Amino acid sequence: MDPTAQQIDGLKELINIGVGRAASVLNAMLSSHIVLQVPFIKLLQPEDFKKEIEILGQESLAAVHLGFQGIFSGSTQLIFTMETASKLVTILVGETDETDDLDSIQTGTLTEIGNIVLNGVMGSISNMLGFHFNYSVPNYLEGSAENLLKANLIVADRTILLARTRFVVEKLDIYGDIALFFEMTVFNKLLEAIDVLGNE
Amino acid sequence: MSIYRIAEEKFGILDYTPVGICVTTSEHIVLFWNRYLADWTGISKSDIVGKKLELHFPNLSEPRYLERLETIFNGGPPAIFSSQLHKYIFSAKLPNGEMQIQHTTVTGIPYGDGEHCYALWAVEDVTELARRIQKFKHMRDRVVEEMKRSKQMEEELLKAKKLESIGILAGGIAHDFNNLLSIIMGNIHLAMDEDGLGDDISEALAEAEKASVRAANLTKQLITFSKGGEPITKSCHIPSLLTEMTKVAVAGSNVEYNFFLQDDLWPVDIDKGQIEHVIRNIVMNAVQSMSEGGIVEVRAENFLVSSEKNSNVLSIDDGEYVKIAIHDHGSGIPKQNIERIFDPYFSTRERGIQKGMGLGLTISYSIIKKHGGTIAVKSKTGAGTSVYIYLRTGGKISQLKTAIY
């Protein structure tokens, strides 16, 4: 089922609501004001998603992963290049250290940021679908794009919702990607729910 | 059996995990409190079980925590409270009086109908990890700083060697050339004294004399630059020298000047003539970089250089200096040229006796180095250039100041 333009708009709004909630949580915690925006979303099949992330080249990626189980299972990841992840953490905690690497303490910080963003998005989606999920504890992953996403891409019958997320903090624009990995049937349910909401 | 007794039976095994564990209801009533948390916080199980967490930890009643915890009790994803953004959730004092640094994860545990959740708080003590990372970073910064310093010193040494060999060559040629010039000028004067010279010949001889005078000045500069130009120093107050030389250098141009000179500047040990030459030369460069006019700023302040705090990045001896800064708002020097500006015969200006020989900054560098000081340049294309000169006072360190220019 190919989503209509209206459904895409609905999905984008859904993600924006979740990301907006995440921004308000982050702003209550941080000294720097942060704005989160979703300039675009894309719906991709695993093969297209691979191409999309190939743009990131051989760079090492940093990701926060949140798995969920329930009436259907899937996972979601917030993905950054190592360089942007390091920049984001450094700015948010007010450090001056400028390496393209994250130490164990900093990975904890990125995990919390990812936790907040992904919780916002998942909260928005589960409210919309009216489903209850059990979540795994968010964890930090690091590696090449292929290694990081391999497990999610071997299942052919998957739809991947890629939401580019813009973190605007202290005159700096940092982009990360929220990737939601759904089974096709589940994704269709999500689209149906968006249709219902649109018709209300 | 009470709910607390059930919780103790259910979670009691968690007393043996090396992590602080606590289980609470959605009203934040403590059902279970493990030994590690009791040890860390000094609050025993009996003191906290059955009570609200906020009674002991009022920080948890802040909206930034409440909002995130609420979603957990409604079946939402776990919440992570990292050590950099929160330092700690349960305040726990270490034996040295510092606070324990914690990384906390709060997960929902469904109970009853599965619609509601308890919260399982898992607290990791990351104090030692944070301390080690901090120590590592400090060490890494020191190594980077040391490498930077050593690279700078290597470059300085290379530059000094290069200048020394050029200096020997230039000095030798300059002396011989000067002797020849004396003969040429002497003969020009003899010829000029002859009667009955036509206008054309007189004019040609006058031109030859002018060129010889310029050549003589150039040889003087070369001699200064060479080994022969060792400074003969005397203790001197620099403010009048700075104002006089700046006024001379801007005379006849559309450039103005501003002075910011510290009132009680230390006297410096200098060869007055040589330092006058340096200041004049640098201010003239500033004037030439502002062809549309502008302001040259001349600043001077007392400055202490010390490596005690690893802050001496200037490759000069520790001690008391007068720091002179000459700023212009001219065209600036492109990044690729900055490294080369002290090289002999490097000039971005048109070549020629009148236009510039590319020796001005080389000679200035040589003079300042022979004085035991240093000279550094910062520039941004289109924004201007700042030249910093550090001149020794011969004084001793009486206080510390970071030597960053």
Side-chain angles (χ1 to χ4, degrees), chain B residues 23-40:
Chain B
V23 179
T24 63
T25 66
S26 55
E27 287 81 34
H28 300 186
I29 304 289
V30 179
L31 297 176
F32 176 77
W33 185 254
N34 86 338
R35 281 184 198 167
Y36 277 89
L37 275 183
D39 285 349
W40 290 344

Side-chain angles (χ1 to χ4, degrees), chain A residues 21 24-25 28-30 66 89 92-93 95 97 99 103-106 108-109 111-113 115-116 118-119 122 132-138, chain B residues 63-64 67-68 71 74-86 101 103 105 107 110 114-115 117 126 129-130 133-134 137 140-141:
Chain A
R21 263 187 217 144
S24 83
V25 173
M29 276 169 39
L30 304 168
L66 176 72
V89 170
L92 292 183
V93 300
E95 283 185 340
D97 194 19
T99 56
D103 60 50
S104 308
I105 296 289
Q106 290 171 320
T109 312
T111 310
E112 181 172 359
I113 294 161
N115 174 224
I116 292 167
L118 297 177
N119 284 12
M122 283 313 293
H132 173 78
F133 298 113
N134 288 321
Y135 297 94
S136 61
V137 175
Chain B
R64 64 187 181 132
E67 199 179 332
R68 291 180 66 194
T71 60
N74 294 329
I80 288 172
F81 299 98
S82 62
S83 60
Q84 276 189 308
L85 297 177
H86 306 276
I101 303 171
H103 179 94
T105 307
T107 317
E115 290 280 306
C117 289
V126 293
L129 180 66
I133 287 172
Q134 213 46 47
K137 281 186 178 173
R140 184 201 57 197
D141 290 348

Side-chain angles (χ1 to χ4, degrees), chain B residues 249-287:
Chain B
V250 302
S253 74
N254 52 356
V255 169
E256 290 172 23
Y257 47 78
N258 271 335
F259 295 106
F260 303 93
L261 310 174
Q262 190 176 321
D263 287 339
D264 52 349
L265 279 175
W266 296 321
V268 284
D269 291 339
I270 56 165
D271 182 319
K272 203 176 167 208
Q274 289 190 1
I275 299 299
E276 279 178 351
H277 175 87
V278 171
I279 303 298
R280 198 171 54 235
N281 185 272
I282 290 167
V283 177
M284 276 169 74
N285 281 347
V287 170

